[in-house]
Amino acid sequence: MKIEQKRFEKQAYLFNVGEYFKSYEFLGCHSVNDQINMFSFTVWAPNAKQVQVISSAKDWKQPISMRKIGQTGIWTVETKDVHSGDLYKFQITDQQGNVFQKIDPYGFQFEKKPGNAAIVADNKQRKWHDQKWLKARSEKQVLNEPLNIYELHAGSWRRHKDDSYYTYAELADELIPYVKKHGYTHIELLPIMEHLLDASWGYQQMGYFAPTSRFGNLNQFLEFIDRCHQVNIGVIVDWVPGHFIKNYDSLYQFDGTPTFEYSERERAENKRWGSWNFDLGKNQVQSFLISSAMYWIDYCHLDGLRVDAVSNMLYLDYDEGKEGITNHLGDNRNLEGISFLQKLNTVIFAEHPDILMIAEESSAFPKVTAPVSSGGLGFNLKWNMGWMNDTLKFFEMDPLFRKDNFKLLTFAFMYMYDEQFVLPFSHDEVVHGKKSLMHKMPGDRYNQFANLRTMLAYQACFPGKKLNFMGSEWGQFLEWRDWSQLEWVDLKDDMNLKTQSYTTKLNELYRENESLWQQDFSPNGMNFTNTDDAESSTMTFIRQSEKSTDFIVCAFNFVPIERQKYRIGVPYSGEYELLLNTEDINYGGTWTKLEKEFHTKRIPFTGQSYSFTVTLPAMGALLIRPINLKEDINNER
């Protein structure tokens, strides 16, 4: 017992100084002794006058009193009066004698909405079958590998005919083969952590250690991840450490005082999202949040976290009505938030250097993906919101005006290597009246598909990892609705079906050609051959692998005017072959006969020693690679 007491004291100390990063092993509900059905309940409520456990086992009556451990602010009890599967909450009495019920911040499972009681269930280690995947992941340089993410909302990818949700098991049965078939490397789930409001898509979280009960229990969620890994599909989950659900029976004023949130209401309240901001400078909150991240990565075997709303954690004035707020240095940076993010990434990568920490950050804050040791935030990827906004704005535009707005495409060349970027066409761009990707495209239906194919090819060729939201792979016309499944009926239409085939082919080419991903974050991976021809609204560049003779020529025509005898400069002489023509009739275009081989001539062009000509399709793109280089290339480097 003395050993257990010392361990408890050490855990409590580390939690309180912000250095306990697996605090889920200590706080919450845990099985103490299976043979005699003993469970422990432990919670941090530093300013409470009394804390009790109430449960469905006693019809929410006969509360079980907990004892406070010294000055740690932590309350605990061991009891045989609850059983596995029972529901429970904490009943807290504040210093003024007010009594209220709260969730368990460390609950591993919750009852289905609208209820929010946690379920008595110990998170024992399961038997995994993904050792081969984890070993291979640990041996790879993750940023030098193909990364093509299928982003989805589990509640609206597919539903049953009665509009009920698919379970985790049903998602595994249908989603995993679908993602595999169509060539994606990873699945990214909109926040899967427990939440009550469907319309929040999961971004107003309640359970930071619990997958939502909408689709099944914890073990079923882990089985889903295990099955993904067994077929070499990675899993990323969106995670929200900046703010939490506003409900008063959740984390807000947990012990009757500001506990998880800032003590100043002005900083605590997030008016833009109707939530509460975590106090990121508080030691215990750091232990809580970093433990949450570690739980999903370590215990649940996730391959990465996409950290939502990083800008909200970087700036004091990011929210509505907070203009003019400054720190003690006189600027608008949230110094506690910056320090927290640096600490988070330092801790995660110290134990798991092979996973992805992806920042959704919409400002020009510097060094988001630079190492903490050099003053960066320490993420290894960042969503390129500027590229996404400019690219969509360009493609939404009538082609007649594109030549006068060509800088929408070329401006990204100025900062493309400032960070390690993901290029996202995400869920955020196809909701709230923004229209689907397909619906954004100008012209009649044929030209909308042609624009979409060209834009997706441009994304595949541009340096950076890739992300596309569900439905974009076949050009769904309706924008996303969280309350219903995708318009799968679209696939009865020939154009939608061909677009899906096109996306599958594009994903295959991306995955199989190192030049499209091996040097995403190095200037050596991009050769700007002809990128400023605004007048013709065409563009060519070369994507380069680490091997000098392994590259892909990428040529784009952003207007519906065919360019015959269009000259393309290349570094080496020889034969080149067509990889992809976006106007191939098999993908919804009009070309029934394709130019498949190209032979260079010693005609220097756009800084290159050789060149060849192509017919560049109207509103289309070509991907071309060398197959037989004739001269001594060692003398041409």
Side-chain angles (χ1 to χ4, degrees):
M1 290 300 295
K2 288 183 178 180
I3 294 175
E4 290 297 319
Q5 181 66 24
K6 285 184 177 180
R7 186 173 67 175
F8 190 102
E9 291 173 353
K10 181 180 180 181
Q11 290 170 323
Y13 169 78
L14 291 173
F15 175 80
N16 279 306
V17 298
E19 295 295 326
Y20 195 10
F21 307 130
K22 294 188 179 181
S23 55
Y24 56 86
E25 296 176 345
F26 162 54
L27 290 150
C29 173
H30 294 275
S31 175
V32 177
N33 190 319
D34 291 336
Q35 283 70 39
I36 59 173
N37 189 53
M38 178 81 74
F39 286 91
S40 69
F41 294 86
T42 309
V43 65
W44 175 59
N47 296 306
K49 185 176 182 179
Q50 184 182 41
V51 182
Q52 299 167 306
V53 178
I54 56 173
S55 75
S56 59
K58 299 293 184 181
D59 197 24
W60 302 104
K61 300 175 183 177
Q62 301 181 34
I64 303 165
S65 293
M66 306 175 73
R67 68 184 187 280
K68 190 174 185 180
I69 308 301
Q71 302 301 311
T72 64
I74 293 173
W75 301 72
T76 190
V77 68
E78 293 182 357
T79 179
K80 292 187 281 187
D81 291 335
V82 297
H83 304 84
S84 180
D86 288 341
L87 304 179
Y88 73 96
K89 293 184 178 183
F90 293 117
Q91 183 164 282
I92 296 177
T93 305
D94 68 15
Q95 293 297 327
Q96 288 71 45
N98 301 306
V99 180
F100 43 88
Q101 297 175 2
K102 291 286 188 177
I103 68 165
D104 180 0
Y106 284 83
F108 300 125
Q109 293 184 42
F110 286 87
E111 64 176 326
K112 291 186 177 180
K113 66 183 180 82
N116 65 355
I119 299 174
V120 176
D122 187 47
N123 63 337
K124 295 178 181 177
Q125 285 289 348
R126 74 188 302 276
K127 184 178 180 180
W128 289 87
H129 304 87
D130 63 348
Q131 292 80 8
K132 185 177 179 181
W133 165 266
L134 295 179
K135 184 177 185 296
R137 191 185 75 182
S138 69
E139 294 172 348
K140 293 177 180 178
Q141 295 293 321
V142 63
L143 298 183
N144 294 333
E145 294 292 325
L147 181 61
N148 189 13
I149 302 168
Y150 187 72
E151 185 195 32
L152 74 136
H153 179 252
S156 57
W157 184 71
R158 273 196 184 276
R159 290 195 179 188
H160 294 292
K161 289 182 179 180
D162 64 358
D163 210 35
S164 60
Y165 295 124
Y166 269 37
T167 65
Y168 290 119
E170 289 169 329
L171 284 169
D173 289 341
E174 294 196 29
L175 174 62
I176 295 173
Y178 182 87
V179 169
K180 189 74 175 176
K181 175 182 178 181
H182 296 295
Y184 297 93
T185 65
H186 288 68
I187 292 168
E188 180 174 326
L189 297 164
L190 270 62
I192 208 74
M193 292 78 168
E194 192 61 85
H195 58 283
L196 294 176
L197 180 64
D198 288 341
S200 79
W201 316 330
Y203 290 100
Q204 293 183 0
Q205 291 181 6
M206 175 185 77
Y208 277 77
F209 297 84
T212 179
S213 58
R214 286 167 174 78
F215 317 121
N217 61 34
L218 171 62
N219 194 58
Q220 290 164 340
F221 173 68
L222 299 181
E223 177 68 16
F224 170 82
I225 297 172
D226 203 352
R227 288 178 62 182
C228 285
H229 287 173
Q230 289 173 50
V231 295
N232 297 319
I233 297 294
V235 184
I236 302 164
V237 166
D238 287 12
W239 180 62
V240 191
H243 60 103
F244 58 88
I245 192 171
K246 201 160 191 176
N247 297 32
Y248 282 24
D249 52 0
S250 181
L251 301 181
Y252 174 67
Q253 296 211 352
F254 190 78
D255 61 7
T257 67
T259 309
F260 289 89
E261 71 277 16
Y262 290 103
S263 58
E264 309 94 337
R265 187 180 179 96
E266 182 182 47
R267 294 192 67 184
E269 188 169 17
N270 192 313
K271 296 179 180 178
R272 175 176 297 174
W273 295 314
S275 55
W276 301 108
N277 291 320
F278 280 107
D279 182 349
L280 300 175
K282 187 178 289 186
N283 290 336
Q284 296 89 343
V285 172
Q286 293 177 9
S287 287
F288 173 77
L289 288 173
I290 297 176
S291 292
S292 172
M294 286 295 293
Y295 176 77
W296 296 103
I297 293 169
D298 193 32
Y299 181 81
C300 299
H301 287 207
L302 287 181
D303 302 285
L305 297 174
R306 179 270 203 178
V307 182
D308 183 64
V310 169
S311 298
N312 182 59
M313 295 182 275
L314 297 178
Y315 300 103
L316 296 171
D317 59 354
Y318 188 74
D319 194 17
E320 298 170 358
K322 296 184 179 180
E323 298 79 6
I325 298 179
T326 60
N327 58 38
H328 69 278
L329 298 176
D331 61 54
N332 66 341
R333 291 175 301 158
N334 181 350
L335 300 178
E336 299 99 325
I338 293 169
S339 294
F340 165 74
L341 291 170
Q342 291 175 323
K343 182 177 181 177
L344 165 71
N345 287 317
T346 299
V347 170
I348 294 297
F349 286 123
E351 188 158 338
H352 295 283
D354 56 343
I355 61 93
L356 299 166
M357 291 295 287
I358 308 169
E360 188 266 316
E361 202 284 302
S362 55
S363 77
F365 193 91
K367 295 186 174 183
V368 173
T369 56
V372 174
S373 59
S374 63
L377 295 182
F379 291 95
N380 56 5
L381 288 170
K382 173 187 172 178
W383 275 19
N384 194 336
M385 309 292 276
W387 176 90
M388 176 271 297
N389 282 312
D390 288 347
T391 301
L392 288 178
K393 187 175 181 180
F394 180 85
F395 274 92
E396 287 180 271
M397 188 178 296
D398 188 310
L400 181 65
F401 304 111
R402 289 180 180 176
K403 68 178 182 180
D404 297 320
N405 293 275
F406 214 60
K407 287 185 178 179
L408 286 171
L409 294 186
T410 59
F411 180 66
F413 297 148
M414 303 295 291
Y415 63 86
M416 60 196 299
Y417 298 118
D418 287 358
E419 303 282 1
Q420 296 169 171
F421 284 122
V422 174
L423 308 177
F425 290 136
S426 74
H427 69 281
D428 274 329
E429 309 315 311
V430 295
V431 291
H432 299 326
K434 295 180 183 178
K435 300 185 290 189
S436 68
L437 292 187
M438 172 64 175
H439 196 181
K440 292 177 193 288
M441 301 296 106
D444 59 20
R445 192 165 186 265
Y446 172 80
N447 278 288
Q448 286 181 313
F449 276 109
N451 271 274
L452 180 62
R453 292 193 301 270
T454 303
M455 187 177 74
L456 293 176
Y458 184 69
Q459 178 198 33
C461 294
F462 198 94
K465 305 310 180 185
K466 322 301 176 187
L467 178 143
N468 283 284
F469 187 58
M470 63 184 195
S472 65
E473 69 269 23
W474 72 71
Q476 175 169 305
F477 188 81
L478 290 180
E479 71 174 22
W480 173 49
R481 302 164 299 176
D482 69 89
W483 62 88
S484 69
Q485 70 171 1
L486 293 177
E487 296 289 308
W488 294 96
V489 67
D490 286 351
L491 293 175
K492 294 182 179 180
D493 182 279
D494 188 56
M495 287 296 286
N496 290 115
L497 188 61
K498 286 182 175 180
T499 300
Q500 187 186 54
S501 297
Y502 165 77
T503 304
T504 304
K505 180 63 175 180
L506 187 62
N507 290 347
E508 175 190 314
L509 291 176
Y510 166 76
R511 193 178 61 254
E512 293 181 354
N513 287 275
E514 293 181 348
S515 55
L516 292 178
W517 44 261
Q518 194 175 66
Q519 298 196 96
D520 272 329
F521 311 123
S522 167
N524 295 329
M526 177 81 157
N527 187 343
F528 300 88
T529 52
N530 189 14
T531 55
D532 58 358
D533 190 356
E535 187 61 32
S536 71
S537 294
T538 64
M539 178 183 292
T540 65
F541 55 78
I542 292 174
R543 288 303 310 279
Q544 180 74 55
S545 78
E546 293 176 353
K547 183 181 178 182
S548 64
T549 56
D550 180 19
F551 56 88
I552 289 182
V553 178
C554 308
F556 304 93
N557 186 358
F558 301 114
V559 291
I561 302 172
E562 184 175 276
R563 307 291 183 183
Q564 295 185 3
K565 296 183 179 179
Y566 183 83
R567 188 163 295 279
I568 297 176
V570 291
Y572 303 121
S573 66
E575 298 177 45
Y576 289 70
E577 69 172 354
L578 178 73
L579 286 178
L580 181 73
N581 182 333
T582 62
E583 277 297 292
D584 188 330
I585 194 171
N586 293 310
Y587 305 136
T590 59
W591 283 43
T592 57
K593 186 177 181 180
L594 306 177
E595 294 179 312
K596 294 186 178 181
E597 294 184 359
F598 311 92
H599 300 268
T600 60
K601 292 185 177 181
R602 191 180 287 274
I603 301 176
F605 190 69
T606 60
Q608 305 301 306
S609 301
Y610 304 91
S611 62
F612 55 80
T613 60
V614 303
T615 300
L616 190 58
M619 193 59 66
L622 301 176
L623 273 64
I624 299 168
R625 71 179 174 189
I627 53 172
N628 184 16
L629 299 179
K630 296 180 179 178
E631 297 188 16
D632 183 3
I633 62 171
N634 293 317
N635 296 324
E636 299 180 13
R637 291 179 182 175

